Amino acid sequence: MTDEPDTTSAAAASAAAAGRHDGGRLRGRSALVTGGGRGIGRAIALGMAAEGAKVTVLSRTAAELEAVVAEAKALGGDGAALVIDCMDGAALKRAVAEAADRDGLDILVNNVGGLIGAPEQLTALDHDDALFEQNLHLNLTSAYYATRAALPAMVAGGYGRVINIGSGYAVHGGGGIAYSAAKHGLVGLTHSLAWQVPPEITVNCLCPGWTNTAVLDWNGPEGAAAAAAKARVHSVQGRVLEPEELAPMAVLLAGEGGGGITGQVINVDGGYKV
């Protein structure tokens, strides 16, 4: 018995979970994933690394990022980590530009998001004003800053894929007002950008439904159970999805095969509120 990690089996498990294909559909491409240390961002980063991409992951937590980079390399791709607070727009732009200058930038995944504040601070009648602005910035404005910094490199390289990570609340009501407003805003940003960028750059919004991430803990220790109960009622498949189930669609949108898909809102959500 040993305390050394079994990196071979760990890599195999990660590859299977991330939907690995042997074709290397993203070989030679450079991707950047905001909020890439865990959850959906991590799953998409590893899915792209498994297809041969070099993936730069951004978040505030160095240990999580370093773990993702190690997994990306074990999958046959490559990775780099940039510790950054995506709430700082100027710093986020600098980080994206730095990654683009170093490796080029073909694919941007605007994944960072979530909820800031306690539930009782985010109700419609008692919403904290500062928290409203902060939640808008985290879930919408950060995507503008990252995209603004990424587009020059994509235009120069003649190839670009912008993937905004939305939510079931990007197309339905029911979420917190700041969170839902921001995610609806991502849809508008997607549509508008798709019209204005050169045709070799695509812009899409990938929307998860109830997904097994830390966001489920926002409502306390019963958050995951509550999400499962809602999923049973509100989705065709009646279940909470795993983050890795988002990766195959993200890989499709990021690659050559997704070149004809742009300006779209695509749900990977188990049939949420169909």
Side-chain angles (χ1 to χ4, degrees):
M1 195 168 180
T2 175
D3 292 329
E4 292 295 321
D6 183 350
T7 55
T8 301
S9 61
S14 293
R20 182 174 185 174
H21 297 267
D22 293 329
R25 289 178 289 173
L26 300 180
R27 196 163 305 283
R29 297 297 184 190
S30 295
L32 185 146
V33 182
T34 66
R38 60 185 177 181
I40 291 171
R42 171 186 174 277
I44 290 175
L46 294 179
M48 292 184 176
E51 291 287 349
K54 177 166 186 180
V55 183
T56 299
V57 284
L58 274 65
S59 80
R60 294 179 300 177
T61 307
E64 291 180 346
L65 296 177
E66 290 164 4
V68 174
V69 169
E71 289 183 80
K73 292 179 177 178
L75 290 170
D78 198 0
L82 288 175
V83 178
I84 184 73
D85 184 353
C86 291
M87 292 293 287
D88 185 337
L92 177 56
K93 287 177 70 175
R94 287 194 299 270
V96 174
E98 175 187 332
D101 288 343
R102 184 185 62 228
D103 300 312
L105 185 55
D106 303 302
I107 303 155
L108 171 66
V109 182
N110 287 312
N111 168 74
V112 70
L115 294 155
I116 302 173
E120 61 271 15
Q121 296 175 291
L122 305 178
T123 63
L125 294 179
D126 300 302
H127 209 297
D128 181 270
D129 292 345
L131 287 176
F132 187 89
E133 299 286 353
Q134 290 171 33
N135 278 284
L136 283 183
H137 190 114
L138 178 64
N139 291 285
L140 173 60
T141 310
S142 65
Y144 160 76
Y145 280 115
T147 304
R148 178 68 183 83
L151 283 176
M154 292 179 177
V155 171
Y159 184 98
R161 302 287 188 263
V162 179
I163 304 172
N164 297 319
I165 303 301
S167 167
Y169 293 139
V171 291
H172 299 287
I177 59 173
Y179 182 82
S180 294
K183 293 300 188 180
H184 275 72
L186 270 181
V187 172
L189 181 66
T190 298
H191 290 325
S192 184
L193 280 171
W195 274 108
Q196 295 188 33
V197 297
E200 62 269 19
I201 299 172
T202 68
V203 188
N204 293 287
C205 187
L206 177 55
C207 292
W210 294 108
T211 309
N212 187 19
T213 71
V215 173
L216 299 187
D217 298 331
W218 183 67
N219 282 318
E222 300 302 318
K230 290 179 179 179
R232 283 193 292 272
V233 174
H234 294 300
S235 68
V236 170
Q237 295 183 349
R239 66 186 180 91
V240 173
L241 273 64
E242 294 300 321
E244 289 77 13
E245 295 182 80
L246 277 293
M249 180 57 72
V251 168
L252 171 64
L253 294 174
E256 297 280 356
I261 307 170
T262 194
Q264 301 303 305
V265 179
I266 300 169
N267 302 324
V268 179
D269 58 10
Y272 177 66
K273 289 189 175 181
V274 299

